[in-house]
Structure formats: structure tokens, C-alpha cells
Amino acid sequence: MNQILENAMIEGLVKGFARSPLERNRLQEADAELIRLPGTDMLLALTTDSVVEEIESGLYTDPFLIGWMTVIVNASDLAAVGAEPLGLLLNENLPHDTGSDFISKLQDGIRAACSACDLYVLGGDTNFSARMQLGASAVGLITGGQPMTRLGCKPGDYLFGSGRFGSGSGYAFVQFVAARQQPGLTFPYRPQPRIREGRLLRDFASCCMDTSDGLLAALDQLMRLNSVGFVVEAGQEELLDPDTLRIANAANIPAWMALAGPHGEFELVFTVPPQRVDALMAEASVHEWKPQMMGRVVERPGVWLRLNEELTAIDTGRIRNLFVECNSDIDEYFKGLLLMQSDLRQGG
Amino acid sequence: MNQILENAMIEGLVKGFARSPLERNRLQEADAELIRLPGTDMLLALTTDSVVEEIESGLYTDPFLIGWMTVIVNASDLAAVGAEPLGLLLNENLPHDTGSDFISKLQDGIRAACSACDLYVLGGDTNFSARMQLGASAVGLITGGQPMTRLGCKPGDYLFGSGRFGSGSGYAFVQFVAARQQPGLTFPYRPQPRIREGRLLRDFASCCMDTSDGLLAALDQLMRLNSVGFVVEAGQEELLDPDTLRIANAANIPAWMALAGPHGEFELVFTVPPQRVDALMAEASVHEWKPQMMGRVVERPGVWLRLNEELTAIDTGRIRNLFVECNSDIDEYFKGLLLMQSDLRQGG
């Protein structure tokens, strides 16, 4: 786990803290913290996430999107453990000179996302600050049965996604690169809540994680936690968000790179034992949802993608560390990925 | 309520949000949000608070204190509703160049405060940011009986404090003013958790609030919420933190101003019906705690302090709005208070 710089940093930060006897999961084992409620058979699901680097880097500029994402990044963690949402607490740190129109659109984004997620704003805290930073904490309940965690998949399980991947990268590419050449160009980035899908999956999935840091980062983390590998057999047409695929093709960028970007699309990636697949598909179709079958869990650790009709091993650990090593510099990161692409070609 | 600029601002921010059917309290009615847990007789107490302006203004510079206060500001809200702490989620937004020694002392402060509060760190979120901002959300449980809220005091009730007041102002005065003249001067500011006192008070208090924004701001808010007044009969020797009183006297500043500073000391202020006072004092003494009797609740709205042996009406609303009107400028705020002092003299 600690070959990944982010994992090592987080372990360093928490190593001195005592562990609650009520906490069911260990560090990194679930998207939300799972806390036993004394005297009941219920679990509380708790998570907190902020929109900080996305604002500072200029990735998010639209106030509605900032509000929307402040809710979605937290709701997505509740979805990944199959919790029923109770509500959230907001943290708004706003510059003194923030205009009332900006605040109004920000609140609109929060309200719209809460409504889409069946989440209530329960409270919050507002401060004035030189830098805008938005954050929230979400609370959910798990009653009866087990929660989903990142642990539990076995070789032979099927690998699924709740939707298509790559739109976080597509949006970042347009915002940081393409819009420089074509001012006014926009990309329709609006991750949808997967709360209902998460609650349904709790009866079927052997493990689950959201793709807040992109698909390859999620598969890498699940690989390390479960000591397994993932063979993604689906082709890029089936895997990728169509708008992102179109943009990658137009810019002549290898489409798999959209799965490597650290700005995710907040879908769920999950595994299902073979004997539960038919039941999952039947139940999902009742809810007019079609999980995307992507591949299989294998014994040998690693992540393989189908590139040019060939299953190709991807060094997902190298990709995850690249962004940290680049000090979050987008251009450097992009160069690093292109270097990996040329290594892949040489390897193939 | 909305004559107070901060109250009006918060109402403006939340007015578009739907209210959860599980939320027991309305806006401003309790220090923590009180959420009914479906299928149980338990309430979840939720709160979130950040240390942002305190860092940006230079009020907090010591990393241990920043960590300590990040926990205390949240624990204090759990204390004020009488909740049993479950734990907290941390939000750490740190500049890229934060030194490992600074981080280590910050984490030490968090750990020491958690230990003092019987709180566990359950999880968190870490970001890199141009500005340091620390925050947390705390979760507590209330099982059996009623929670304490800010509502419920009646004329004739006794007014109490959990300890002495003013150290938040004493510290701010030393940090911002006195240390300019005497470099190296420090003030021992380390608010203590009142979690145990809060749980004890739940059986006795008719209302309770913490003094996160200072004593006068708390009394002002309780006055507005309950449509009552508070006559503080205790003299300044009984009310004020001894270090703060000494500093005020040495600097020839009216000591009551230390109760007006918006940087609080995180004590509890609470009211007790006359017939419950003896039982409270007996129970408190078992726990080696002596609540400070301060005065009475009266029918007529207002806040009166004993200044120069005379009960003097204090315009607490004017004080609370002053800090916002000064755009948080400490020097301007101090000038505004001195102006009020001269008005008080003329009035007397």
C-alpha cells in the first residue's frame, strides 16, 4: 500500500491517532468510515471531502459546478458503501469580496445536488478567507446486513462499472488545454449521484469503490487491498464516456489516458461473484439501470487494459505517484503519461 | 434574530435548503444539529467548525494550538448539547511547503485535544492549498432523555458559567497588541473540554450554549432566542479569568471588554431552574466541579453587567455587529469598544 505516495502520506498523518473501538473498517478499507452505533445493529457511514485544489488550480470556475461537486464528492462515498443518506454539514470559506450572484449560484449548485442525492443540508460553518475553499461532511446509515467495503473480491469475480469513465479527464483537458486554443469551448461535466445504485449493490457486490481519482487509481487501490489483479476486457468504446472519446480522438491523444487522470468521474467500480451476476442484472433492470460489465478479477496482481486489441499491463502505481511527483503540475503530468505511452508501445 | 448581521447572513445562506424531517432543532436553536435516528430513541449530534480566520489573521501561529483548537471548537458544541462524543472527521488543507516539524506539532495538538475530550479521529481529508485551513466535524450521541438546546430558560432561572471568561480576549490582546511592545510575551490560552460537564448538565440546565464567540455574544443570542434578559450580578473578580483581569488592569483597559471580544474561551453558559440548583451543585461536587453562579434570568430583554458596583445595560447587539462592520479589523474593533465605554460612562 505504501508504495503509493498518497497512501504513505495519509498513514503518516494518522499513525499517532488512537483507533475508535466502534470503527469497523481500517484505514483505506472503505470509501466512508463505518461506525457501530452502540445498542443497535446499525452502522453510521461518515465521510468528508473538500473542493480545494480544483478551485485553486482553475479546474472549477463555475459557481454552480463548485456547489454541485461539493455535495457529489461526499455523496459518492456514501454510495460506495451502500449507505442511506442522512444529510451533510457544509463548510464554506469565502473571500470577503465574493459577489452575491456567485454565492447564489453556488448555493443553487449545492441545492440541486442535494436534491439529486436525497441529501439534506443539516448544518454548516461559514468563514471569510483569502482563498475560497468548499467542503462538506456526509452522514449515512446502514441498517441490516453488511456494508460494502473495498475488501472482498476474489479471482473469478466479474468487474463492473456503474457507468462510463473518463469525463473528469475530458473536462480537465478542455478546461486546461483545448480552451486555450478555442476560447469558449466547454465540456459537459456533471457527475451524477450513484446513491441508489450503491444501496442496490450492497446485496450483490463483493467490493466497491468510487472513481473520485479516476478508474485506474481505483483499480490500483483495490488491487493492493485485495492482493488480486484486474483484467479489463471491455474495449475503449464500451468503457469511455462518448464525449471524452471524441475529444481524445480529435486531439490524437491515446484514449486510455482519460482513465489515468486524477480528476475522476465519481462512478462506482465494483466486483460481483459469478453466481450473483444474473440476479444483479435482473434487479438493476427493475430500476432501469444497466451496470457495465468490464472484465474479471484474476489472481496475479496487476491491471490490464485492452489496447489495440491486446491486453496490456498498465503500471498503475507509477501513474498514481506521477501526479504527486509532478507537484500537481498538469503539463508535467501529461508529459509523464505520454512517456508511459511510448514505453507501452516499446513493451508491446 | 436578524438584527444581528451574522444571524442574517446565515439565514440568507440556508434559506433555499430543504429541512430534513429528522432534524429536531431549527436554525440557531442548538450548538450542534440534533438528528433523530430512525427506529431508535437516540439523537445524533452533528457539528462542524473550522480554524480559518484565526490562522489568516495571525491570531494562531503555534501549530500545537492550531491542532488543539481544531478539536476543541467542535468538541465544545457537543458539550453544549450534552452529547456523548463518538468521534470526528478532520479536514487539513496545508500549503505544499509546510514543514514536517510543523505538521508533527499540529498532529500532536490534535491528538492531545482528542485525548482530553475522549474523542477519536474517525477519518478525514487532506488537501494541498495556498492557505492553511484546518477544520473538523464532530459526531456525538444522545441516548435517553432530552438534549440541551439554547431554548428553554425562564425568568427566575439562575445563570451559570462552567468556568471563568475572557481568556480568548486576553490571548488576542497579548498576541495582537502587547507583544508588539514586549516581543516574546505570551499568554497561556488553552481552552479545556467541557464534554463531561455538558453530559452532567443535561439533567439540570434549562438552556445551554458555548462561548465560542465570547460571553456577551452567547448571552445576546440566548436573549434573542428565549425573549428574556440576563442580569449578571457577579463582579469582575468572580467572572473573569485571573490572567486576563491582570492584563486588563495593567494595560488600564476596562475589564468588561474582555467579555466582548469575539474570540471566545469555549466555556459553557447555562441556566438552571431554582428548584434544581441544589441538586446540580451536589452532583457537580461529586465530579469535583464547581459551576460559577453568575446571575439571573429576567423577563425584560437585555444584558446587564455589574460595572463599578452598578448594574449597567450593555448593548450586546451593537457589540456583535461591530466586528462584522469593522471587517474583522482588530484595531477598529477595539476603538469601537472604547467608544461604547465612553457612552456607558455618560449613561451612568
Side-chain angles (χ1 to χ4, degrees):
Chain A
M1 286 292 290
N2 283 349
Q3 290 172 335
I4 302 300
L5 297 170
E6 190 187 350
N7 291 344
M9 185 195 75
I10 291 171
E11 191 175 305
L13 282 175
V14 307
K15 67 171 186 278
F17 297 144
R19 185 176 138 84
S20 165
L22 297 174
E23 189 153 15
R24 190 184 183 280
N25 60 295
R26 293 189 172 268
L27 191 64
Q28 300 287 6
E29 287 180 356
D31 277 33
E33 312 304 333
L34 304 168
I35 313 300
R36 280 181 282 264
L37 276 171
T40 76
D41 63 350
M42 294 192 292
L43 289 171
L44 212 54
L46 300 174
T47 188
T48 187
D49 210 350
S50 309
V51 178
V52 175
E53 287 150 15
E54 296 84 348
I55 298 174
E56 284 200 12
S57 65
L59 184 60
Y60 296 172
T61 50
D62 171 47
F64 187 94
L65 180 65
I66 293 172
W68 178 272
M69 293 307 296
T70 301
V71 176
I72 291 289
V73 296
N74 285 285
S76 182
D77 287 333
L78 294 188
V81 296
E84 181 168 357
L86 272 181
L88 53 77
L89 301 172
L90 281 176
N91 302 92
E92 305 199 29
N93 296 328
L94 303 172
H96 265 291
D97 60 356
T98 311
S100 62
D101 187 51
F102 189 100
I103 292 180
S104 161
K105 285 177 179 153
L106 181 72
Q107 301 300 98
D108 283 349
I110 293 170
R111 195 171 53 227
C114 279
S115 169
C117 295
D118 292 329
L119 264 172
Y120 290 96
V121 175
L122 300 174
D125 174 46
T126 305
N127 290 279
F128 293 109
S129 163
R131 292 278 179 154
M132 182 176 300
Q133 302 191 345
L134 273 286
S137 297
V139 183
L141 269 185
I142 296 172
T143 45
Q146 296 294 309
M148 284 192 296
T149 72
R150 295 173 180 172
L151 289 181
C153 64
K154 300 221 160 20
D157 286 359
Y158 284 86
L159 178 67
F160 283 89
S162 60
R164 301 292 184 97
F165 300 94
S167 67
S169 293
Y171 170 79
F173 179 76
V174 168
Q175 188 81 351
F176 285 135
V177 183
R180 285 185 207 159
Q181 287 140 21
Q182 294 178 58
L185 193 69
T186 59
F187 183 96
Y189 179 68
R190 183 103 353 134
Q192 294 302 305
R194 294 299 189 182
I195 295 268
R196 281 172 216 129
E197 290 84 346
R199 286 166 68 184
L200 185 155
L201 283 176
R202 194 150 69 85
D203 290 336
F204 301 97
S206 50
C207 78
C208 184
M209 182 172 173
D210 83 348
T211 63
S212 50
D213 299 329
L215 177 65
L216 292 185
L219 291 178
D220 181 84
Q221 194 78 335
L222 292 174
M223 168 188 88
R224 290 169 200 278
L225 284 163
N226 292 287
S227 303
V228 296
F230 297 100
V231 174
V232 180
E233 288 151 358
Q236 303 198 344
E237 301 279 341
E238 299 162 86
L239 268 186
L240 277 151
D241 162 62
D243 289 314
T244 303
L245 190 59
R246 187 173 45 75
I247 281 176
N249 290 340
N252 201 23
I253 296 168
W256 71 268
M257 283 192 195
L259 308 174
H263 179 236
E265 58 288 288
F266 299 88
E267 293 290 348
L268 300 177
V269 55
F270 54 96
T271 56
V272 181
Q275 68 277 16
R276 296 291 286 155
V277 169
D278 287 347
L280 164 66
M281 298 311 269
E283 181 68 19
S285 86
V286 172
H287 294 84
E288 299 180 343
W289 172 48
K290 189 171 181 303
Q292 304 290 317
M293 192 179 288
M294 294 161 61
R296 297 293 284 263
V297 182
V298 297
E299 204 159 321
R300 184 175 164 207
V303 173
W304 289 265
L305 292 183
R306 181 178 296 281
L307 302 182
N308 302 319
E309 299 309 309
E310 249 178 86
L311 284 175
T312 309
I314 305 287
D315 187 347
T316 50
R318 180 172 158 194
I319 292 175
R320 291 182 72 189
N321 286 341
L322 188 58
F323 194 64
V324 179
E325 285 160 356
C326 292
N327 267 326
S328 314
D329 182 305
I330 308 291
D331 291 330
E332 286 299 311
Y333 183 70
F334 203 56
K335 273 186 218 162
L337 285 185
L338 287 171
L339 200 65
M340 281 190 67
Q341 168 71 7
S342 88
D343 288 357
L344 285 179
R345 278 198 191 125
Q346 282 163 16
Chain B
M1 286 292 289
N2 284 348
Q3 289 173 336
I4 302 299
L5 297 171
E6 190 188 351
N7 291 342
M9 185 197 74
I10 292 170
E11 191 176 306
L13 282 175
V14 307
K15 68 170 186 277
F17 297 145
R19 186 177 138 84
S20 165
L22 298 174
E23 189 153 15
R24 190 185 183 279
N25 60 294
R26 293 189 173 268
L27 191 64
Q28 300 288 6
E29 287 179 357
D31 277 33
E33 312 303 333
L34 304 167
I35 313 299
R36 280 182 283 264
L37 277 171
T40 76
D41 64 349
M42 294 192 291
L43 288 171
L44 212 54
L46 299 175
T47 187
T48 187
D49 210 350
S50 308
V51 179
V52 175
E53 288 150 15
E54 295 85 347
I55 298 174
E56 285 200 10
S57 66
L59 184 60
Y60 296 171
T61 50
D62 171 47
F64 186 95
L65 180 65
I66 293 173
W68 178 271
M69 293 307 296
T70 301
V71 176
I72 291 288
V73 297
N74 285 285
S76 182
D77 287 333
L78 293 187
V81 297
E84 180 168 356
L86 272 182
L88 52 76
L89 300 173
L90 281 176
N91 303 92
E92 305 199 29
N93 297 327
L94 303 172
H96 265 292
D97 60 357
T98 311
S100 61
D101 187 52
F102 190 100
I103 291 179
S104 160
K105 286 176 179 154
L106 181 72
Q107 302 299 98
D108 283 350
I110 292 169
R111 193 171 54 226
C114 279
S115 168
C117 294
D118 293 329
L119 263 172
Y120 290 96
V121 175
L122 301 173
D125 173 46
T126 304
N127 290 278
F128 293 109
S129 163
R131 292 277 179 154
M132 183 176 300
Q133 301 191 345
L134 274 285
S137 297
V139 183
L141 269 186
I142 297 172
T143 45
Q146 297 292 310
M148 283 191 297
T149 70
R150 296 174 180 170
L151 289 181
C153 65
K154 300 224 161 16
D157 286 0
Y158 284 86
L159 178 67
F160 283 89
S162 60
R164 300 294 183 95
F165 300 94
S167 67
S169 293
Y171 169 80
F173 179 76
V174 167
Q175 188 81 351
F176 286 134
V177 183
R180 286 186 207 157
Q181 287 139 20
Q182 293 177 250
L185 193 68
T186 58
F187 183 95
Y189 179 68
R190 183 107 348 138
Q192 295 301 306
R194 293 301 189 181
I195 296 267
R196 282 173 214 126
E197 291 84 348
R199 286 167 69 183
L200 185 156
L201 283 175
R202 195 150 69 84
D203 290 337
F204 301 97
S206 51
C207 79
C208 185
M209 183 171 173
D210 82 349
T211 64
S212 50
D213 299 329
L215 176 64
L216 292 184
L219 291 179
D220 181 86
Q221 193 79 335
L222 293 175
M223 168 190 88
R224 290 169 200 279
L225 284 162
N226 292 287
S227 304
V228 296
F230 297 100
V231 174
V232 180
E233 288 150 358
Q236 304 198 342
E237 302 278 342
E238 299 162 87
L239 267 187
L240 277 151
D241 162 62
D243 290 314
T244 303
L245 189 58
R246 188 175 44 75
I247 281 175
N249 290 340
N252 202 22
I253 297 167
W256 72 267
M257 283 192 196
L259 308 174
H263 180 235
E265 56 289 287
F266 299 88
E267 293 289 348
L268 300 177
V269 55
F270 54 96
T271 56
V272 181
Q275 68 277 14
R276 296 290 286 155
V277 169
D278 287 347
L280 164 66
M281 298 311 270
E283 181 69 18
S285 87
V286 172
H287 295 85
E288 299 181 345
W289 171 49
K290 189 172 182 301
Q292 303 291 317
M293 193 179 287
M294 294 161 62
R296 297 294 284 263
V297 182
V298 296
E299 204 161 321
R300 184 174 164 208
V303 173
W304 289 264
L305 293 182
R306 181 179 296 281
L307 302 182
N308 302 319
E309 298 309 310
E310 249 177 86
L311 284 174
T312 309
I314 305 287
D315 187 348
T316 50
R318 181 172 156 194
I319 292 175
R320 291 182 72 189
N321 286 341
L322 188 58
F323 194 64
V324 180
E325 285 160 356
C326 293
N327 266 326
S328 314
D329 182 305
I330 308 291
D331 290 330
E332 286 299 311
Y333 183 69
F334 203 55
K335 275 186 217 162
L337 286 184
L338 288 171
L339 200 66
M340 282 189 68
Q341 167 72 6
S342 88
D343 288 357
L344 285 179
R345 277 197 192 129
Q346 281 162 15

